[in-house]
Amino acid sequence: MTLVPQQVQPQRFDVLVIGGGAAGLYSALCLPRHYRVGLITKETLSQSASDWAQGGIAAAIASDDSVQLHLEDTLSAGAGLCDLDAVRYLVNQAPDCIESLLELGVAFDQSGDRPALTLEAAHRRPRVLHAADATGRAVVVTLTRHVYQRPNIEVLSGTFVFDLWLNPETGECQGAIALHNGVIQAIEAAVVVLATGGGGQVFSQTTNPPASTGDGVAMAWRAGATLRDLEFMQFHPTALMKPGAPHFLISEAVRGEGAHLLDQHGHRFMFDYHPAGELASRDIVSRSIYQHLQQQTIQASQNGDRSIPHVWLDLRPIAPEVIQRRFPTIIQRCQSYGIDVFTQPIPVAPAAHYWMGGVLTNLESATSISRLYAVGETASTGVHGANRLASNSLLECVVFGHNMAHLPLPPPWRDRSGDVPTRSAPAGIDAALSDFHEWRSHLQQWVWSHAGICREQASLDQAIAQVAALRQQFNHHGFSQWLLNTALPQMSHSSMAVDASQIATLQTWGELRNLLDIASLILKSAAFRTESRGGHYRRDYPDAIAPWQVHTLVQDDRLYTSTPASPQVVELP
């Protein structure tokens, strides 16, 4: 099918928000109502990691809690790399942001006339608000409803963004190049907000949804933005591990309510690794499970048994009525795979979950590129340091999304009123969709094997070489050559209609391009940091050392360190 060249009216907004999770939705709602806002999501508004978040959102609102305790717990989890000003801002703004969510109608569980609070790992007080075990969905559904009620917000769903659009004279951001309604075109905006979430899909084992392909970080890097701490990936300790089932996350709140981790012998092994047992921080629990499984596998192989791929999460110590009330989603999902949580433990193992690194921002969410902002997991605000404290992620989305209420709006670059000439994509472009799927699978396996929970120089170097070779192969593919050398460079002054059959291939190509970029950046950052800290663990450098209490910074092809971070050792009582 060949499309006839046509004229299209250019898309133009005051603010373009890229991403439809909690960060993007809340940012759009906080923008002044007289701004014309475009909200881009490459899937539907419910297909985000926020929607999958179970545990909750942390805030010091209880009478026996304080923002100081919340600050200290966050700093302690961050392993010396939190930005103190950013954490102070996060915890101080948290109570007001919770009130805002309540006013919007988010249905948190209640205890009397107050929101119910639960305890999660590495928190010293119960401070996690929740909506059963589907808090992210409760937040996203509520925010989505309000977004659709706002006449100043236009939702551009099913839209894939290839690149940021920079002013060639000043380098400032002036929009994005996107595939929308079958047309590749430039969408102009006075300000762009990246809220595309994380990049867990670069790992073969991840709790993230398929859309979490690091799009915002990759686009920002290609545009020349400064990135930070990309080696720090948090691995969630308890993802469902059952053949044929997705790696469904089993919330940390389950362990907070009293669930035990058991090995194949029924031994509650976590206390062998840390005095806090199951309630140690996520990096410790994930690494402990990984190491315990390795030991169990070695012992099993000596006896001629096959490897042991998981441990067991036992909910039976929790009262059945509490399980029923708090974890209905987990009950339902496990039942769909033949697991009755009331009578049998759940097979679990760690999986990539949350990216602490991202696009460097300041307290106003501004990046190093003028007119470009970043919010949520895409951003590196400094609140998480080397290891995120449980339930601070949704909080970060809301606190820093609220910055958009005070966003200054510079004038647009130029008047693009009138039609933009549109050409048709040439017929016979070799889509090779199967190639892209195969390469994505190989990439995910390499990154998981060589930059997963435990890393070392030799395997990192091997993976860096593998990814470099694959990137070269990808860039020389006929489809890539057409897009990179012909189609995308021309979109600043024209648009291109594509055949409907090519839309899926275009998005698959774009996601693989982003995954290849972030894989290379993660691997090189992990090889650069020759110590272990937070979510980054090196077998060959197993200790945290003072000279590495610095941030890893990336811009273009430069990898360097920040000035030393301020000492933030917090002694827990």
Side-chain angles (χ1 to χ4, degrees):
M1 171 180 169
T2 302
L3 298 177
V4 178
Q6 55 185 302
Q7 303 291 105
V8 299
Q9 186 68 29
Q11 294 273 8
R12 179 178 175 182
F13 299 94
D14 294 322
V15 181
L16 187 65
V17 180
I18 305 175
L25 292 167
Y26 197 75
S27 295
L29 289 171
C30 288
L31 285 162
R33 295 191 184 214
H34 61 277
Y35 289 1
R36 183 167 180 243
V37 179
L39 177 62
I40 285 180
T41 173
K42 65 180 178 180
E43 307 292 346
T44 64
L45 282 181
S46 63
Q47 299 299 309
S48 70
S50 300
D51 189 55
W52 289 30
Q54 296 175 26
I57 182 169
I61 61 173
S63 59
D64 65 342
D65 200 1
S66 69
V67 294
Q68 179 63 27
L69 287 175
H70 191 181
L71 179 142
E72 291 174 1
D73 289 348
T74 301
L75 295 180
S76 181
L81 285 188
C82 293
D83 182 291
L84 184 57
D85 290 337
V87 177
R88 186 176 287 121
Y89 181 72
L90 178 82
V91 299
N92 282 327
Q93 296 296 317
D96 287 343
C97 286
I98 294 300
E99 286 300 318
S100 173
L101 292 177
L102 290 169
E103 290 173 5
L104 287 170
V106 176
F108 292 117
D109 292 345
Q110 297 291 300
S111 176
D113 61 350
R114 298 285 296 165
L117 301 173
T118 192
L119 180 69
E120 289 192 358
H123 290 268
R124 284 179 289 171
R125 296 287 188 275
R127 66 168 65 99
V128 179
L129 295 88
H130 48 83
D133 59 348
T135 309
R137 171 159 296 190
V139 171
V140 166
V141 166
T142 301
L143 298 181
T144 299
R145 183 175 70 250
H146 284 276
V147 160
Y148 279 119
Q149 291 171 353
R150 292 282 180 90
N152 69 309
I153 301 175
E154 181 180 345
V155 177
L156 286 71
S157 60
T159 298
F160 185 81
V161 179
F162 292 101
D163 283 305
L164 297 172
W165 179 26
L166 302 185
N167 183 285
E169 298 176 0
T170 67
E172 295 181 286
C173 190
Q174 60 183 11
I177 307 299
L179 172 62
H180 175 61
N181 286 341
V183 177
I184 303 175
Q185 59 186 290
I187 302 176
E188 186 178 4
V191 169
V192 174
V193 180
L194 291 174
T196 57
Q201 282 293 322
V202 78
F203 295 90
S204 60
Q205 311 293 321
T206 181
T207 64
N208 288 184
S212 295
T213 51
D215 301 338
V217 174
M219 287 188 289
W221 174 71
R222 291 195 294 267
T226 303
L227 313 181
R228 181 169 66 178
D229 294 341
L230 301 182
E231 66 270 33
F232 293 113
M233 177 66 68
Q234 186 174 79
F235 297 91
H236 197 285
T238 53
L240 176 66
M241 289 291 164
K242 190 174 177 64
H247 298 315
F248 175 66
L249 184 150
I250 309 297
S251 170
E252 195 135 31
V254 171
R255 285 175 283 131
E257 293 288 351
H260 297 168
L261 282 168
L262 309 175
D263 64 18
Q264 63 168 344
H265 304 295
H267 172 54
R268 192 179 176 187
F269 62 89
M270 267 308 304
F271 287 98
D272 299 342
Y273 296 90
H274 195 276
E278 288 91 355
L279 294 182
S281 61
R282 286 179 174 177
D283 63 312
I284 292 173
V285 178
S286 291
R287 194 157 56 249
S288 299
I289 293 173
Y290 178 83
Q291 292 172 346
H292 198 73
L293 285 173
Q294 281 193 316
Q295 294 174 7
Q296 297 277 295
T297 299
I298 291 171
Q299 294 171 5
S301 64
Q302 290 173 346
N303 296 326
D305 299 332
R306 33 188 270 178
S307 63
I308 301 166
H310 57 74
V311 295
W312 301 95
L313 182 63
D314 190 0
L315 277 64
R316 289 174 293 185
I318 308 173
E321 60 271 17
V322 174
I323 298 174
Q324 191 74 51
R325 183 183 75 251
R326 286 282 285 112
F327 308 117
T329 303
I330 292 173
I331 294 170
Q332 182 180 11
R333 290 295 294 272
C334 287
Q335 282 179 341
S336 68
Y337 295 104
I339 302 167
D340 180 0
V341 301
F342 295 98
T343 62
Q344 59 190 128
I346 306 168
V348 296
H353 179 59
Y354 188 90
W355 203 2
M356 276 77 72
V359 185
L360 177 63
T361 61
N362 61 17
L363 287 181
E364 287 73 45
S365 300
T367 73
S368 61
I369 294 178
S370 180
R371 300 177 182 243
L372 178 66
Y373 293 75
V375 180
E377 193 173 352
T378 303
S380 174
T381 61
V383 300
H384 303 308
N387 188 44
R388 176 177 68 87
L389 183 67
S391 290
N392 269 355
S393 55
L394 279 176
L395 178 63
E396 180 192 30
C397 292
V398 176
V399 167
F400 287 88
H402 188 261
N403 285 337
M404 298 302 106
H406 312 291
L407 181 72
L409 190 66
W413 280 107
R414 62 183 181 276
D415 183 6
R416 291 182 75 227
S417 58
D419 292 338
V420 173
T422 300
R423 300 172 292 107
S424 296
I429 293 293
D430 179 17
L433 187 59
S434 61
D435 287 346
F436 301 149
H437 284 305
E438 181 182 355
W439 292 346
R440 176 166 172 164
S441 179
H442 289 326
L443 179 71
Q444 291 168 322
Q445 291 291 341
W446 293 339
V447 179
W448 174 253
S449 299
H450 301 305
I453 296 170
C454 293
R455 305 161 174 178
E456 57 189 359
Q457 192 68 43
S459 62
L460 288 169
D461 288 343
Q462 180 183 356
I464 289 169
Q466 289 173 316
V467 172
L470 183 55
R471 285 176 88 190
Q472 185 175 25
Q473 190 176 4
F474 173 83
N475 288 334
H476 283 88
H477 192 282
F479 199 71
S480 299
Q481 291 285 301
W482 168 64
L483 278 168
L484 295 174
N485 299 329
T486 303
L488 296 181
Q490 297 178 0
M491 291 306 101
S492 61
H493 56 270
S494 68
S495 58
M496 179 175 289
V498 298
D499 192 288
S501 64
Q502 293 179 334
I503 290 175
T505 304
L506 283 163
Q507 178 164 329
T508 302
W509 177 90
E511 289 184 335
L512 178 57
R513 179 192 185 203
N514 293 334
L515 288 169
L516 284 164
D517 285 344
I518 68 168
S520 178
L521 294 169
I522 290 170
L523 289 164
K524 289 177 180 178
S525 297
F528 184 64
R529 180 175 289 273
T530 52
E531 67 151 3
S532 293
R533 185 183 298 269
H536 169 72
Y537 182 78
R538 297 269 307 246
R539 287 192 189 94
D540 45 358
Y541 297 97
D543 300 317
I545 55 176
W548 273 109
Q549 194 171 330
V550 293
H551 297 288
T552 305
L553 298 171
V554 180
Q555 186 180 33
D556 299 323
D557 292 325
R558 287 199 310 135
L559 194 61
Y560 57 103
T561 60
S562 69
T563 56
S566 300
Q568 297 164 11
V569 178
V570 178
E571 294 185 3
L572 304 183

Short mmCIF file of all heavy atoms in Angstrom, two decimals, residues 71 74-75 81-93 228 361-364 381-384 399-400 403 551 565-568:
data_model
loop_
_atom_site.label_atom_id
_atom_site.label_comp_id
_atom_site.label_asym_id
_atom_site.label_seq_id
_atom_site.Cartn_x
_atom_site.Cartn_y
_atom_site.Cartn_z
N LEU A 71 13.89 11.12 56.21
CA LEU A 71 15.12 11.56 55.57
C LEU A 71 16.27 10.62 55.90
O LEU A 71 17.02 10.19 55.02
CB LEU A 71 15.44 12.99 56.00
CG LEU A 71 16.72 13.62 55.43
CD1 LEU A 71 16.50 15.10 55.12
CD2 LEU A 71 17.90 13.49 56.41
N THR A 74 15.98 7.29 54.12
CA THR A 74 16.29 7.43 52.69
C THR A 74 17.79 7.54 52.47
O THR A 74 18.36 6.90 51.57
CB THR A 74 15.57 8.66 52.12
OG1 THR A 74 14.16 8.51 52.31
CG2 THR A 74 15.86 8.82 50.64
N LEU A 75 18.46 8.35 53.29
CA LEU A 75 19.91 8.49 53.17
C LEU A 75 20.63 7.18 53.45
O LEU A 75 21.60 6.83 52.78
CB LEU A 75 20.41 9.57 54.13
CG LEU A 75 19.96 11.01 53.90
CD1 LEU A 75 20.56 11.92 54.96
CD2 LEU A 75 20.34 11.48 52.51
N LEU A 81 25.24 8.21 48.48
CA LEU A 81 25.18 8.96 47.23
C LEU A 81 23.90 9.78 47.06
O LEU A 81 23.65 10.31 45.98
CB LEU A 81 25.35 8.03 46.03
CG LEU A 81 26.76 7.51 45.77
CD1 LEU A 81 26.82 6.77 44.45
CD2 LEU A 81 27.79 8.64 45.78
N CYS A 82 23.07 9.87 48.10
CA CYS A 82 21.90 10.73 48.01
C CYS A 82 22.34 12.20 48.02
O CYS A 82 23.33 12.57 48.65
CB CYS A 82 20.94 10.50 49.17
SG CYS A 82 20.14 8.90 49.18
N ASP A 83 21.57 13.02 47.34
CA ASP A 83 21.75 14.46 47.43
C ASP A 83 20.90 14.94 48.60
O ASP A 83 19.68 14.82 48.59
CB ASP A 83 21.30 15.12 46.12
CG ASP A 83 21.50 16.61 46.13
OD1 ASP A 83 20.79 17.30 46.89
OD2 ASP A 83 22.35 17.12 45.38
N LEU A 84 21.57 15.48 49.62
CA LEU A 84 20.87 15.84 50.86
C LEU A 84 19.77 16.85 50.62
O LEU A 84 18.66 16.73 51.18
CB LEU A 84 21.88 16.37 51.88
CG LEU A 84 21.33 16.71 53.27
CD1 LEU A 84 20.67 15.49 53.90
CD2 LEU A 84 22.44 17.25 54.16
N ASP A 85 20.01 17.86 49.80
CA ASP A 85 18.98 18.87 49.54
C ASP A 85 17.77 18.26 48.83
O ASP A 85 16.62 18.60 49.13
CB ASP A 85 19.55 20.01 48.68
CG ASP A 85 20.55 20.87 49.45
OD1 ASP A 85 20.49 20.88 50.70
OD2 ASP A 85 21.39 21.52 48.80
N ALA A 86 18.04 17.32 47.89
CA ALA A 86 16.94 16.68 47.17
C ALA A 86 16.11 15.80 48.10
O ALA A 86 14.88 15.80 48.03
CB ALA A 86 17.48 15.85 46.01
N VAL A 87 16.77 15.06 48.99
CA VAL A 87 16.04 14.21 49.92
C VAL A 87 15.24 15.06 50.89
O VAL A 87 14.08 14.75 51.20
CB VAL A 87 17.00 13.28 50.69
CG1 VAL A 87 16.23 12.45 51.71
CG2 VAL A 87 17.74 12.36 49.73
N ARG A 88 15.84 16.13 51.39
CA ARG A 88 15.12 17.02 52.30
C ARG A 88 13.87 17.58 51.61
O ARG A 88 12.79 17.66 52.21
CB ARG A 88 16.04 18.14 52.76
CG ARG A 88 15.42 19.04 53.83
CD ARG A 88 16.40 20.07 54.32
NE ARG A 88 17.43 19.48 55.16
CZ ARG A 88 18.73 19.52 54.92
NH1 ARG A 88 19.17 20.11 53.82
NH2 ARG A 88 19.59 18.98 55.74
N TYR A 89 14.02 17.96 50.34
CA TYR A 89 12.87 18.47 49.57
C TYR A 89 11.80 17.40 49.42
O TYR A 89 10.61 17.65 49.61
CB TYR A 89 13.36 18.94 48.20
CG TYR A 89 12.30 19.52 47.31
CD1 TYR A 89 11.75 20.78 47.58
CD2 TYR A 89 11.85 18.83 46.20
CE1 TYR A 89 10.77 21.31 46.76
CE2 TYR A 89 10.89 19.36 45.36
CZ TYR A 89 10.35 20.61 45.64
OH TYR A 89 9.38 21.13 44.82
N LEU A 90 12.22 16.17 49.12
CA LEU A 90 11.29 15.06 48.93
C LEU A 90 10.46 14.81 50.18
O LEU A 90 9.22 14.76 50.13
CB LEU A 90 12.06 13.79 48.56
CG LEU A 90 11.23 12.53 48.38
CD1 LEU A 90 10.62 12.49 46.97
CD2 LEU A 90 12.07 11.27 48.61
N VAL A 91 11.12 14.64 51.32
CA VAL A 91 10.39 14.25 52.54
C VAL A 91 9.57 15.40 53.09
O VAL A 91 8.50 15.18 53.69
CB VAL A 91 11.36 13.68 53.60
CG1 VAL A 91 12.06 12.44 53.06
CG2 VAL A 91 12.38 14.72 54.07
N ASN A 92 10.04 16.63 52.91
CA ASN A 92 9.26 17.78 53.40
C ASN A 92 8.00 18.00 52.58
O ASN A 92 6.97 18.42 53.12
CB ASN A 92 10.12 19.05 53.39
CG ASN A 92 11.09 19.11 54.55
OD1 ASN A 92 10.79 18.62 55.64
ND2 ASN A 92 12.25 19.71 54.34
N GLN A 93 8.07 17.74 51.28
CA GLN A 93 6.92 17.94 50.41
C GLN A 93 5.93 16.77 50.47
O GLN A 93 4.79 16.90 50.04
CB GLN A 93 7.37 18.13 48.96
CG GLN A 93 8.22 19.36 48.72
CD GLN A 93 7.46 20.64 48.98
OE1 GLN A 93 6.31 20.79 48.60
NE2 GLN A 93 8.11 21.57 49.66
N ARG A 228 23.44 10.53 34.89
CA ARG A 228 24.15 10.26 36.14
C ARG A 228 23.82 8.87 36.69
O ARG A 228 22.67 8.43 36.63
CB ARG A 228 23.78 11.33 37.18
CG ARG A 228 24.48 11.15 38.52
CD ARG A 228 24.30 12.36 39.42
NE ARG A 228 22.91 12.55 39.85
CZ ARG A 228 22.52 13.52 40.68
NH1 ARG A 228 23.40 14.40 41.15
NH2 ARG A 228 21.26 13.63 41.01
N THR A 361 19.02 16.08 36.86
CA THR A 361 18.13 17.23 37.02
C THR A 361 18.48 17.98 38.30
O THR A 361 19.10 17.43 39.22
CB THR A 361 16.66 16.81 37.09
OG1 THR A 361 16.47 15.95 38.22
CG2 THR A 361 16.22 16.09 35.82
N ASN A 362 18.01 19.22 38.38
CA ASN A 362 18.13 19.98 39.62
C ASN A 362 16.81 19.91 40.39
O ASN A 362 15.90 19.15 40.01
CB ASN A 362 18.55 21.43 39.33
CG ASN A 362 17.52 22.17 38.47
OD1 ASN A 362 16.36 21.75 38.34
ND2 ASN A 362 17.94 23.28 37.90
N LEU A 363 16.68 20.68 41.45
CA LEU A 363 15.47 20.60 42.28
C LEU A 363 14.24 21.11 41.55
O LEU A 363 13.11 20.84 41.98
CB LEU A 363 15.67 21.40 43.58
CG LEU A 363 16.60 20.78 44.62
CD1 LEU A 363 16.68 21.66 45.86
CD2 LEU A 363 16.14 19.37 44.99
N GLU A 364 14.42 21.83 40.45
CA GLU A 364 13.28 22.30 39.65
C GLU A 364 12.97 21.34 38.50
O GLU A 364 12.16 21.65 37.65
CB GLU A 364 13.57 23.70 39.08
CG GLU A 364 13.52 24.82 40.12
CD GLU A 364 14.72 24.80 41.05
OE1 GLU A 364 15.88 24.65 40.53
OE2 GLU A 364 14.54 24.91 42.27
N THR A 381 17.32 12.67 40.25
CA THR A 381 17.11 13.84 41.11
C THR A 381 18.07 13.87 42.27
O THR A 381 18.26 14.91 42.89
CB THR A 381 15.68 13.84 41.68
OG1 THR A 381 15.51 12.65 42.48
CG2 THR A 381 14.64 13.85 40.57
N GLY A 382 18.64 12.70 42.62
CA GLY A 382 19.51 12.59 43.77
C GLY A 382 18.84 12.05 45.01
O GLY A 382 19.50 11.85 46.03
N VAL A 383 17.54 11.76 44.94
CA VAL A 383 16.85 11.31 46.16
C VAL A 383 17.11 9.84 46.46
O VAL A 383 16.98 9.41 47.61
CB VAL A 383 15.32 11.56 46.09
CG1 VAL A 383 15.03 13.03 45.93
CG2 VAL A 383 14.67 10.76 44.96
N HIS A 384 17.50 9.05 45.47
CA HIS A 384 17.66 7.61 45.68
C HIS A 384 19.11 7.19 45.94
O HIS A 384 19.33 6.10 46.48
CB HIS A 384 17.11 6.82 44.49
CG HIS A 384 15.69 7.12 44.19
ND1 HIS A 384 14.69 7.06 45.14
CD2 HIS A 384 15.08 7.49 43.02
CE1 HIS A 384 13.53 7.37 44.57
NE2 HIS A 384 13.74 7.63 43.30
N VAL A 399 6.12 14.46 43.98
CA VAL A 399 6.81 15.64 44.52
C VAL A 399 7.46 16.45 43.41
O VAL A 399 7.30 17.67 43.32
CB VAL A 399 7.85 15.22 45.57
CG1 VAL A 399 8.79 16.38 45.90
CG2 VAL A 399 7.16 14.73 46.84
N PHE A 400 8.19 15.78 42.52
CA PHE A 400 8.89 16.52 41.47
C PHE A 400 7.96 16.85 40.30
O PHE A 400 8.20 17.82 39.58
CB PHE A 400 10.13 15.76 41.03
CG PHE A 400 11.23 15.81 42.06
CD1 PHE A 400 11.30 14.86 43.07
CD2 PHE A 400 12.15 16.83 42.06
CE1 PHE A 400 12.29 14.90 44.04
CE2 PHE A 400 13.15 16.90 43.02
CZ PHE A 400 13.21 15.94 44.03
N ASN A 403 6.54 20.27 40.64
CA ASN A 403 7.35 21.40 40.17
C ASN A 403 6.77 22.05 38.92
O ASN A 403 7.00 23.24 38.65
CB ASN A 403 8.78 20.94 39.85
CG ASN A 403 9.60 20.70 41.10
OD1 ASN A 403 9.33 21.22 42.16
ND2 ASN A 403 10.65 19.89 40.95
N HIS A 551 29.53 10.56 42.17
CA HIS A 551 28.58 10.18 41.14
C HIS A 551 29.31 9.91 39.82
O HIS A 551 30.33 10.53 39.52
CB HIS A 551 27.56 11.30 40.91
CG HIS A 551 26.70 11.58 42.09
ND1 HIS A 551 25.71 10.72 42.51
CD2 HIS A 551 26.70 12.63 42.96
CE1 HIS A 551 25.12 11.23 43.58
NE2 HIS A 551 25.70 12.38 43.88
N ALA A 565 30.70 13.28 47.11
CA ALA A 565 29.41 13.52 47.77
C ALA A 565 29.65 13.77 49.25
O ALA A 565 30.63 13.30 49.83
CB ALA A 565 28.50 12.31 47.57
N SER A 566 28.75 14.53 49.86
CA SER A 566 28.90 14.81 51.29
C SER A 566 28.70 13.53 52.09
O SER A 566 27.81 12.74 51.78
CB SER A 566 27.87 15.85 51.72
OG SER A 566 28.04 17.05 51.01
N PRO A 567 29.52 13.31 53.14
CA PRO A 567 29.32 12.12 53.98
C PRO A 567 27.93 12.13 54.60
O PRO A 567 27.49 13.14 55.13
CB PRO A 567 30.41 12.25 55.05
CG PRO A 567 31.44 13.15 54.44
CD PRO A 567 30.68 14.10 53.56
N GLN A 568 27.25 11.01 54.49
CA GLN A 568 25.88 10.93 54.98
C GLN A 568 25.67 9.61 55.72
O GLN A 568 24.76 8.84 55.43
CB GLN A 568 24.88 11.04 53.82
CG GLN A 568 24.94 12.37 53.10
CD GLN A 568 24.25 12.32 51.76
OE1 GLN A 568 23.55 11.37 51.44
NE2 GLN A 568 24.42 13.35 50.95
#
